[in-house]
Amino acid sequence: MPGILLDEDRMRQSHFVTLLARPRSSRRDARLRYGRTFLIGALSGLAYMLASPSALPQAPQGAEGVSGQQAFNNACRTCHIMREGDNRLGPNLHKIVGRKAGSLPDYGFSSAMKEAGFVWDEEKLDRFIANPDEVVPGNSMKPYGGLSSSEDRKKIIAFLAQSR
């Protein structure tokens, strides 16, 4: 009959209402929170990685190995940076090619570097990066002892020369 619920229908309806009103178990809640937290963390990490410059397309390097900037970062960036006016442990190397050695304002060069009396060019940079003490005895580039790889030195010098 319409409008009259049978006992079985009442039981189903009652069971449905009970399911909606009953609080979830704390174990299930904990699993759901963990799952949501893990998902949010994983998606945030993915978004961070995709936004980083290393995730962007890079220029093909082929058999050449590392780029000039990578070689600079590996050998020089601990102490030097390319940004003009930003001196670190070492002076900034912005427009180093063509600059008189030891002449950058607002940096405390060693007396040996101030008195070096030459202008940086590719040949002088190559010799200095290979063995700083040979080119400017008494410089303050310790503990850096030089870079033996001529290929890496060429890449670094080409990278430095770009900032002219």
Side-chain angles (χ1 to χ4, degrees):
M1 286 197 214
I4 298 178
L5 294 174
L6 301 174
D7 285 341
E8 189 176 310
D9 290 332
R10 281 190 189 142
M11 232 159 71
R12 274 192 222 136
Q13 187 180 30
S14 171
H15 182 69
F16 179 73
V17 171
T18 304
L19 284 175
L20 290 176
R22 182 182 345 159
R24 294 181 182 160
S25 71
S26 61
R27 177 179 281 167
R28 183 169 179 227
D29 284 344
R31 278 187 284 155
L32 287 173
R33 276 194 306 272
Y34 175 78
R36 286 185 196 126
T37 303
F38 177 79
L39 181 62
I40 290 169
L43 291 174
S44 298
L46 181 62
Y48 176 77
M49 288 185 340
L50 290 175
S52 73
S54 62
L56 299 175
Q58 302 289 319
Q61 294 177 6
E64 299 165 7
V66 298
S67 69
Q69 183 172 4
Q70 288 172 324
F72 174 84
N73 290 347
N74 293 340
C76 312
R77 192 159 179 212
T78 301
C79 301
H80 299 280
I81 196 161
M82 292 295 293
R83 193 173 321 126
E84 184 176 14
D86 190 359
N87 297 318
R88 303 286 170 101
L89 185 58
N92 77 74
L93 300 179
H94 181 73
K95 295 186 179 180
I96 183 77
V97 177
R99 183 191 313 158
K100 183 178 185 298
S103 67
L104 186 67
D106 301 325
Y107 185 78
F109 288 99
S110 66
S111 58
M113 189 61 75
K114 288 179 187 175
E115 297 166 4
F118 62 82
V119 173
W120 292 110
D121 60 13
E122 282 90 356
E123 186 272 328
K124 191 67 84 170
L125 282 167
D126 185 52
R127 288 184 45 228
F128 187 79
I129 295 169
N131 187 349
D133 290 329
E134 182 181 290
V135 177
V136 182
N139 71 73
S140 57
M141 292 251 313
K142 307 296 184 246
Y144 179 79
L147 181 63
S148 60
S149 169
S150 63
E151 282 300 310
D152 285 347
R153 288 195 314 265
K154 285 179 190 175
K155 291 175 185 177
I156 290 169
I157 292 165
F159 176 68
L160 292 173
Q162 290 175 358
S163 73
R164 286 185 189 179

